[in-house]
Amino acid sequence: MSGDISEISAARVAGLCRDLGKINVGPKFIHISGASASHGCALFIESIIKNAGYRVGRINTAYKFDIMKTVYIDRQIPVIDDYNKAVAAIRQIVNKKSGEIYKREEIVFVFSLMVCMLEGCEFVILEECINEYPGLFEICAPYEIAVIPSGYGKEPDTLREQKWSNTIKLVRHEVISGNQKTDTYNIISDKCRLSGTRLAIPAKAQFVPTEIDNRNVAFEYKGKSNYKIKSISLLLRDCAMTAIETVNSLRRSGIKISGNAICQGLLEAGNAGFCEIISASPLIITDISSMTEEITVLRKSLDSLSSDFEKSEKVICFGAENAREAINKLKSAHCFSPAKIYIFTPDANEELTALSEDSETECVLLDSIKNLAELILRENREDRITV
């Protein structure tokens, strides 16, 4: 049963997985450490592996183990039959352990692994959040590859380094990490050297944009062309390079992934929400609050669009950190004059509440993608927007 206990126990979760048939063993696990770039990396890697013809699962802790948002199979929410089978199997085992209490997060994580097993996943991507549930993913080790992206949040340095050290020790093949000009590289390089683990670094100097418009970037990387991502984001360019390096590592280990699968996977990957214009009419922007560099890129893109946007056009902010600063910066773009701004935020805070009471611009706080999609469809029936 699920109960209120203070700490997540990897040993308790491992025992439950064992009783369910060792569901934490079998697939090739790719661990992605929590960072601002982790979700973009996960989406690109997932899409490439799927395009290579493999069955791929992704377990994402971003929504604090909401059972309907934690596990994806081939980039889709699993079919309800597998949900029911997984729930039934777990309930049967848990009911036999009448004296054992499990945290909700433990049950949902085991449920996600069970779904991946039922769906026959050959790869499972473990997408970690910043400073969330340390040690839980370790029951799936050894990892085929560990990805430690650049762009970490506000975790204490000692905690972050300890997590990196623990992860690196559990890697079977390679670690893929940030660029060589960061402190991250120096720390991870030392830990990889001590553990004898190979380290691969994205080569930013060999990333050459060949065509950029308001929503896409085509580029060459390490002398190979035909790459394209549906994004103008600087951070997602880093994610694309990290994904390519991850896939090249898989290829070095003998896994067959074609160059075409890489190109198609990058192109088809879902929008990770970093300062993207996803519709010009009505104007829809996702995550305008990511980081200063992203806002600058987005402003240039907005300035290159028509200045004929009317005040009634809508703007969506998918994500809300530093929303006020971001909105003020974007308002200096000549075409940005929204009457209403939608802010997606699971946890409203005082700053966002104050922003929503701004007399100049009406802000609407939303707590789910579903609410966002329903609102847009209701107010813009003729545009048939799907988020």
Side-chain angles (χ1 to χ4, degrees), residues 361-386:
T361 302
E362 179 185 356
C363 293
V364 180
L365 305 185
L366 301 169
D367 62 1
S368 77
I369 299 294
K370 180 180 179 182
N371 292 349
L372 184 63
E374 287 177 350
L375 192 58
I376 293 299
L377 286 172
R378 184 168 65 248
E379 296 192 0
N380 300 279
R381 290 291 179 185
E382 70 280 6
D383 294 291
R384 310 308 299 170
I385 299 169
T386 301

PDB file of all heavy atoms in Angstrom, residues 361-386:
ATOM      1  N   THR A 361      -1.810  44.380 -18.718  1.00  0.00           N
ATOM      2  CA  THR A 361      -1.965  43.129 -19.452  1.00  0.00           C
ATOM      3  C   THR A 361      -2.616  42.084 -18.559  1.00  0.00           C
ATOM      4  O   THR A 361      -2.145  41.840 -17.454  1.00  0.00           O
ATOM      5  CB  THR A 361      -0.594  42.596 -19.918  1.00  0.00           C
ATOM      6  OG1 THR A 361       0.028  43.581 -20.731  1.00  0.00           O
ATOM      7  CG2 THR A 361      -0.763  41.313 -20.721  1.00  0.00           C
ATOM      8  N   GLU A 362      -3.694  41.484 -19.034  1.00  0.00           N
ATOM      9  CA  GLU A 362      -4.345  40.436 -18.256  1.00  0.00           C
ATOM     10  C   GLU A 362      -3.536  39.149 -18.356  1.00  0.00           C
ATOM     11  O   GLU A 362      -3.207  38.689 -19.446  1.00  0.00           O
ATOM     12  CB  GLU A 362      -5.759  40.184 -18.782  1.00  0.00           C
ATOM     13  CG  GLU A 362      -6.481  39.088 -18.013  1.00  0.00           C
ATOM     14  CD  GLU A 362      -7.831  38.748 -18.619  1.00  0.00           C
ATOM     15  OE1 GLU A 362      -8.224  39.426 -19.590  1.00  0.00           O
ATOM     16  OE2 GLU A 362      -8.463  37.808 -18.123  1.00  0.00           O
ATOM     17  N   CYS A 363      -3.196  38.565 -17.219  1.00  0.00           N
ATOM     18  CA  CYS A 363      -2.473  37.305 -17.192  1.00  0.00           C
ATOM     19  C   CYS A 363      -3.364  36.218 -16.614  1.00  0.00           C
ATOM     20  O   CYS A 363      -4.061  36.440 -15.624  1.00  0.00           O
ATOM     21  CB  CYS A 363      -1.202  37.413 -16.345  1.00  0.00           C
ATOM     22  SG  CYS A 363       0.040  38.508 -17.039  1.00  0.00           S
ATOM     23  N   VAL A 364      -3.327  35.056 -17.240  1.00  0.00           N
ATOM     24  CA  VAL A 364      -4.118  33.928 -16.786  1.00  0.00           C
ATOM     25  C   VAL A 364      -3.168  32.803 -16.403  1.00  0.00           C
ATOM     26  O   VAL A 364      -2.362  32.364 -17.218  1.00  0.00           O
ATOM     27  CB  VAL A 364      -5.090  33.450 -17.891  1.00  0.00           C
ATOM     28  CG1 VAL A 364      -5.914  32.272 -17.398  1.00  0.00           C
ATOM     29  CG2 VAL A 364      -5.988  34.599 -18.334  1.00  0.00           C
ATOM     30  N   LEU A 365      -3.246  32.351 -15.152  1.00  0.00           N
ATOM     31  CA  LEU A 365      -2.392  31.267 -14.688  1.00  0.00           C
ATOM     32  C   LEU A 365      -3.095  29.937 -14.921  1.00  0.00           C
ATOM     33  O   LEU A 365      -4.250  29.757 -14.556  1.00  0.00           O
ATOM     34  CB  LEU A 365      -2.075  31.420 -13.198  1.00  0.00           C
ATOM     35  CG  LEU A 365      -1.446  32.751 -12.772  1.00  0.00           C
ATOM     36  CD1 LEU A 365      -1.081  32.700 -11.287  1.00  0.00           C
ATOM     37  CD2 LEU A 365      -0.222  33.076 -13.601  1.00  0.00           C
ATOM     38  N   LEU A 366      -2.394  29.009 -15.537  1.00  0.00           N
ATOM     39  CA  LEU A 366      -2.946  27.698 -15.854  1.00  0.00           C
ATOM     40  C   LEU A 366      -2.097  26.625 -15.203  1.00  0.00           C
ATOM     41  O   LEU A 366      -0.884  26.747 -15.122  1.00  0.00           O
ATOM     42  CB  LEU A 366      -2.965  27.485 -17.371  1.00  0.00           C
ATOM     43  CG  LEU A 366      -3.773  28.516 -18.171  1.00  0.00           C
ATOM     44  CD1 LEU A 366      -3.488  28.358 -19.652  1.00  0.00           C
ATOM     45  CD2 LEU A 366      -5.252  28.348 -17.897  1.00  0.00           C
ATOM     46  N   ASP A 367      -2.735  25.550 -14.749  1.00  0.00           N
ATOM     47  CA  ASP A 367      -1.973  24.521 -14.036  1.00  0.00           C
ATOM     48  C   ASP A 367      -1.800  23.232 -14.822  1.00  0.00           C
ATOM     49  O   ASP A 367      -1.250  22.263 -14.323  1.00  0.00           O
ATOM     50  CB  ASP A 367      -2.628  24.209 -12.689  1.00  0.00           C
ATOM     51  CG  ASP A 367      -4.036  23.643 -12.846  1.00  0.00           C
ATOM     52  OD1 ASP A 367      -4.486  23.473 -13.995  1.00  0.00           O
ATOM     53  OD2 ASP A 367      -4.682  23.377 -11.811  1.00  0.00           O
ATOM     54  N   SER A 368      -2.241  23.212 -16.071  1.00  0.00           N
ATOM     55  CA  SER A 368      -2.051  21.990 -16.849  1.00  0.00           C
ATOM     56  C   SER A 368      -2.105  22.284 -18.337  1.00  0.00           C
ATOM     57  O   SER A 368      -2.696  23.269 -18.779  1.00  0.00           O
ATOM     58  CB  SER A 368      -3.112  20.941 -16.500  1.00  0.00           C
ATOM     59  OG  SER A 368      -4.341  21.260 -17.117  1.00  0.00           O
ATOM     60  N   ILE A 369      -1.490  21.397 -19.110  1.00  0.00           N
ATOM     61  CA  ILE A 369      -1.522  21.513 -20.567  1.00  0.00           C
ATOM     62  C   ILE A 369      -2.952  21.384 -21.067  1.00  0.00           C
ATOM     63  O   ILE A 369      -3.365  22.048 -22.008  1.00  0.00           O
ATOM     64  CB  ILE A 369      -0.658  20.408 -21.213  1.00  0.00           C
ATOM     65  CG1 ILE A 369       0.785  20.559 -20.771  1.00  0.00           C
ATOM     66  CG2 ILE A 369      -0.733  20.475 -22.725  1.00  0.00           C
ATOM     67  CD1 ILE A 369       1.448  21.790 -21.266  1.00  0.00           C
ATOM     68  N   LYS A 370      -3.722  20.512 -20.429  1.00  0.00           N
ATOM     69  CA  LYS A 370      -5.103  20.295 -20.857  1.00  0.00           C
ATOM     70  C   LYS A 370      -5.895  21.594 -20.782  1.00  0.00           C
ATOM     71  O   LYS A 370      -6.606  21.960 -21.701  1.00  0.00           O
ATOM     72  CB  LYS A 370      -5.756  19.224 -19.987  1.00  0.00           C
ATOM     73  CG  LYS A 370      -7.203  18.925 -20.371  1.00  0.00           C
ATOM     74  CD  LYS A 370      -7.791  17.845 -19.471  1.00  0.00           C
ATOM     75  CE  LYS A 370      -9.238  17.564 -19.839  1.00  0.00           C
ATOM     76  NZ  LYS A 370      -9.852  16.559 -18.943  1.00  0.00           N
ATOM     77  N   ASN A 371      -5.763  22.308 -19.650  1.00  0.00           N
ATOM     78  CA  ASN A 371      -6.460  23.578 -19.507  1.00  0.00           C
ATOM     79  C   ASN A 371      -6.041  24.559 -20.595  1.00  0.00           C
ATOM     80  O   ASN A 371      -6.860  25.287 -21.151  1.00  0.00           O
ATOM     81  CB  ASN A 371      -6.164  24.201 -18.141  1.00  0.00           C
ATOM     82  CG  ASN A 371      -6.776  23.415 -17.010  1.00  0.00           C
ATOM     83  OD1 ASN A 371      -7.579  22.522 -17.242  1.00  0.00           O
ATOM     84  ND2 ASN A 371      -6.393  23.736 -15.789  1.00  0.00           N
ATOM     85  N   LEU A 372      -4.749  24.566 -20.894  1.00  0.00           N
ATOM     86  CA  LEU A 372      -4.213  25.463 -21.905  1.00  0.00           C
ATOM     87  C   LEU A 372      -4.815  25.164 -23.271  1.00  0.00           C
ATOM     88  O   LEU A 372      -5.313  26.049 -23.964  1.00  0.00           O
ATOM     89  CB  LEU A 372      -2.689  25.308 -21.957  1.00  0.00           C
ATOM     90  CG  LEU A 372      -1.909  26.222 -22.881  1.00  0.00           C
ATOM     91  CD1 LEU A 372      -2.046  27.659 -22.463  1.00  0.00           C
ATOM     92  CD2 LEU A 372      -0.447  25.815 -22.881  1.00  0.00           C
ATOM     93  N   ALA A 373      -4.800  23.895 -23.662  1.00  0.00           N
ATOM     94  CA  ALA A 373      -5.326  23.500 -24.965  1.00  0.00           C
ATOM     95  C   ALA A 373      -6.816  23.813 -25.069  1.00  0.00           C
ATOM     96  O   ALA A 373      -7.289  24.337 -26.082  1.00  0.00           O
ATOM     97  CB  ALA A 373      -5.077  22.015 -25.195  1.00  0.00           C
ATOM     98  N   GLU A 374      -7.561  23.503 -24.004  1.00  0.00           N
ATOM     99  CA  GLU A 374      -9.004  23.745 -24.025  1.00  0.00           C
ATOM    100  C   GLU A 374      -9.302  25.233 -24.174  1.00  0.00           C
ATOM    101  O   GLU A 374     -10.202  25.624 -24.911  1.00  0.00           O
ATOM    102  CB  GLU A 374      -9.643  23.208 -22.745  1.00  0.00           C
ATOM    103  CG  GLU A 374      -9.710  21.688 -22.690  1.00  0.00           C
ATOM    104  CD  GLU A 374     -10.283  21.185 -21.375  1.00  0.00           C
ATOM    105  OE1 GLU A 374     -10.435  22.016 -20.451  1.00  0.00           O
ATOM    106  OE2 GLU A 374     -10.558  19.973 -21.279  1.00  0.00           O
ATOM    107  N   LEU A 375      -8.548  26.066 -23.477  1.00  0.00           N
ATOM    108  CA  LEU A 375      -8.770  27.505 -23.527  1.00  0.00           C
ATOM    109  C   LEU A 375      -8.494  28.061 -24.918  1.00  0.00           C
ATOM    110  O   LEU A 375      -9.278  28.839 -25.463  1.00  0.00           O
ATOM    111  CB  LEU A 375      -7.872  28.195 -22.496  1.00  0.00           C
ATOM    112  CG  LEU A 375      -8.166  29.661 -22.197  1.00  0.00           C
ATOM    113  CD1 LEU A 375      -9.582  29.833 -21.699  1.00  0.00           C
ATOM    114  CD2 LEU A 375      -7.183  30.194 -21.168  1.00  0.00           C
ATOM    115  N   ILE A 376      -7.394  27.645 -25.509  1.00  0.00           N
ATOM    116  CA  ILE A 376      -7.041  28.134 -26.840  1.00  0.00           C
ATOM    117  C   ILE A 376      -8.072  27.693 -27.877  1.00  0.00           C
ATOM    118  O   ILE A 376      -8.517  28.463 -28.720  1.00  0.00           O
ATOM    119  CB  ILE A 376      -5.642  27.634 -27.247  1.00  0.00           C
ATOM    120  CG1 ILE A 376      -4.595  28.283 -26.356  1.00  0.00           C
ATOM    121  CG2 ILE A 376      -5.347  27.947 -28.697  1.00  0.00           C
ATOM    122  CD1 ILE A 376      -4.559  29.787 -26.461  1.00  0.00           C
ATOM    123  N   LEU A 377      -8.467  26.434 -27.811  1.00  0.00           N
ATOM    124  CA  LEU A 377      -9.448  25.924 -28.774  1.00  0.00           C
ATOM    125  C   LEU A 377     -10.783  26.635 -28.615  1.00  0.00           C
ATOM    126  O   LEU A 377     -11.467  26.926 -29.599  1.00  0.00           O
ATOM    127  CB  LEU A 377      -9.622  24.418 -28.590  1.00  0.00           C
ATOM    128  CG  LEU A 377      -8.460  23.563 -29.097  1.00  0.00           C
ATOM    129  CD1 LEU A 377      -8.645  22.115 -28.680  1.00  0.00           C
ATOM    130  CD2 LEU A 377      -8.347  23.652 -30.609  1.00  0.00           C
ATOM    131  N   ARG A 378     -11.150  26.939 -27.379  1.00  0.00           N
ATOM    132  CA  ARG A 378     -12.434  27.592 -27.132  1.00  0.00           C
ATOM    133  C   ARG A 378     -12.426  29.021 -27.656  1.00  0.00           C
ATOM    134  O   ARG A 378     -13.411  29.491 -28.231  1.00  0.00           O
ATOM    135  CB  ARG A 378     -12.733  27.587 -25.633  1.00  0.00           C
ATOM    136  CG  ARG A 378     -14.113  28.163 -25.302  1.00  0.00           C
ATOM    137  CD  ARG A 378     -14.505  27.888 -23.865  1.00  0.00           C
ATOM    138  NE  ARG A 378     -13.637  28.564 -22.909  1.00  0.00           N
ATOM    139  CZ  ARG A 378     -12.800  27.937 -22.105  1.00  0.00           C
ATOM    140  NH1 ARG A 378     -12.681  26.620 -22.141  1.00  0.00           N
ATOM    141  NH2 ARG A 378     -12.050  28.617 -21.246  1.00  0.00           N
ATOM    142  N   GLU A 379     -11.308  29.724 -27.495  1.00  0.00           N
ATOM    143  CA  GLU A 379     -11.261  31.124 -27.875  1.00  0.00           C
ATOM    144  C   GLU A 379     -10.854  31.335 -29.334  1.00  0.00           C
ATOM    145  O   GLU A 379     -10.992  32.416 -29.874  1.00  0.00           O
ATOM    146  CB  GLU A 379     -10.289  31.881 -26.965  1.00  0.00           C
ATOM    147  CG  GLU A 379     -10.748  31.897 -25.517  1.00  0.00           C
ATOM    148  CD  GLU A 379      -9.950  32.869 -24.676  1.00  0.00           C
ATOM    149  OE1 GLU A 379      -9.049  33.517 -25.227  1.00  0.00           O
ATOM    150  OE2 GLU A 379     -10.253  32.990 -23.479  1.00  0.00           O
ATOM    151  N   ASN A 380     -10.319  30.294 -29.973  1.00  0.00           N
ATOM    152  CA  ASN A 380      -9.850  30.437 -31.360  1.00  0.00           C
ATOM    153  C   ASN A 380     -10.315  29.256 -32.194  1.00  0.00           C
ATOM    154  O   ASN A 380      -9.516  28.566 -32.819  1.00  0.00           O
ATOM    155  CB  ASN A 380      -8.322  30.529 -31.394  1.00  0.00           C
ATOM    156  CG  ASN A 380      -7.793  31.714 -30.609  1.00  0.00           C
ATOM    157  OD1 ASN A 380      -7.778  32.820 -31.094  1.00  0.00           O
ATOM    158  ND2 ASN A 380      -7.392  31.453 -29.376  1.00  0.00           N
ATOM    159  N   ARG A 381     -11.603  29.005 -32.201  1.00  0.00           N
ATOM    160  CA  ARG A 381     -12.129  27.840 -32.909  1.00  0.00           C
ATOM    161  C   ARG A 381     -11.709  27.824 -34.374  1.00  0.00           C
ATOM    162  O   ARG A 381     -11.417  26.787 -34.953  1.00  0.00           O
ATOM    163  CB  ARG A 381     -13.654  27.830 -32.832  1.00  0.00           C
ATOM    164  CG  ARG A 381     -14.197  27.539 -31.443  1.00  0.00           C
ATOM    165  CD  ARG A 381     -13.941  26.121 -31.028  1.00  0.00           C
ATOM    166  NE  ARG A 381     -14.446  25.868 -29.686  1.00  0.00           N
ATOM    167  CZ  ARG A 381     -14.273  24.731 -29.043  1.00  0.00           C
ATOM    168  NH1 ARG A 381     -13.611  23.744 -29.608  1.00  0.00           N
ATOM    169  NH2 ARG A 381     -14.761  24.567 -27.826  1.00  0.00           N
ATOM    170  N   GLU A 382     -11.701  29.009 -34.996  1.00  0.00           N
ATOM    171  CA  GLU A 382     -11.401  29.052 -36.426  1.00  0.00           C
ATOM    172  C   GLU A 382      -9.949  28.686 -36.723  1.00  0.00           C
ATOM    173  O   GLU A 382      -9.607  28.284 -37.837  1.00  0.00           O
ATOM    174  CB  GLU A 382     -11.710  30.441 -36.984  1.00  0.00           C
ATOM    175  CG  GLU A 382     -10.768  31.558 -36.529  1.00  0.00           C
ATOM    176  CD  GLU A 382     -11.101  32.091 -35.142  1.00  0.00           C
ATOM    177  OE1 GLU A 382     -12.002  31.505 -34.477  1.00  0.00           O
ATOM    178  OE2 GLU A 382     -10.498  33.096 -34.730  1.00  0.00           O
ATOM    179  N   ASP A 383      -9.062  28.800 -35.731  1.00  0.00           N
ATOM    180  CA  ASP A 383      -7.652  28.513 -35.985  1.00  0.00           C
ATOM    181  C   ASP A 383      -7.276  27.052 -35.718  1.00  0.00           C
ATOM    182  O   ASP A 383      -6.251  26.589 -36.169  1.00  0.00           O
ATOM    183  CB  ASP A 383      -6.780  29.414 -35.099  1.00  0.00           C
ATOM    184  CG  ASP A 383      -6.924  30.865 -35.473  1.00  0.00           C
ATOM    185  OD1 ASP A 383      -6.461  31.228 -36.554  1.00  0.00           O
ATOM    186  OD2 ASP A 383      -7.526  31.633 -34.696  1.00  0.00           O
ATOM    187  N   ARG A 384      -8.120  26.353 -34.970  1.00  0.00           N
ATOM    188  CA  ARG A 384      -7.915  24.938 -34.696  1.00  0.00           C
ATOM    189  C   ARG A 384      -6.496  24.655 -34.193  1.00  0.00           C
ATOM    190  O   ARG A 384      -5.748  23.835 -34.740  1.00  0.00           O
ATOM    191  CB  ARG A 384      -8.203  24.071 -35.925  1.00  0.00           C
ATOM    192  CG  ARG A 384      -9.536  24.345 -36.591  1.00  0.00           C
ATOM    193  CD  ARG A 384     -10.694  24.300 -35.620  1.00  0.00           C
ATOM    194  NE  ARG A 384     -10.829  23.004 -34.982  1.00  0.00           N
ATOM    195  CZ  ARG A 384     -11.635  22.767 -33.955  1.00  0.00           C
ATOM    196  NH1 ARG A 384     -12.343  23.743 -33.441  1.00  0.00           N
ATOM    197  NH2 ARG A 384     -11.707  21.552 -33.440  1.00  0.00           N
ATOM    198  N   ILE A 385      -6.111  25.332 -33.177  1.00  0.00           N
ATOM    199  CA  ILE A 385      -4.755  25.167 -32.652  1.00  0.00           C
ATOM    200  C   ILE A 385      -4.699  23.951 -31.759  1.00  0.00           C
ATOM    201  O   ILE A 385      -5.569  23.733 -30.925  1.00  0.00           O
ATOM    202  CB  ILE A 385      -4.342  26.414 -31.834  1.00  0.00           C
ATOM    203  CG1 ILE A 385      -4.369  27.637 -32.738  1.00  0.00           C
ATOM    204  CG2 ILE A 385      -2.951  26.237 -31.232  1.00  0.00           C
ATOM    205  CD1 ILE A 385      -4.233  28.905 -31.974  1.00  0.00           C
ATOM    206  N   THR A 386      -3.663  23.151 -31.928  1.00  0.00           N
ATOM    207  CA  THR A 386      -3.428  22.020 -31.036  1.00  0.00           C
ATOM    208  C   THR A 386      -2.136  22.250 -30.286  1.00  0.00           C
ATOM    209  O   THR A 386      -1.108  22.494 -30.903  1.00  0.00           O
ATOM    210  CB  THR A 386      -3.328  20.702 -31.826  1.00  0.00           C
ATOM    211  OG1 THR A 386      -4.546  20.518 -32.538  1.00  0.00           O
ATOM    212  CG2 THR A 386      -3.128  19.548 -30.879  1.00  0.00           C
TER     213      THR A 386
END
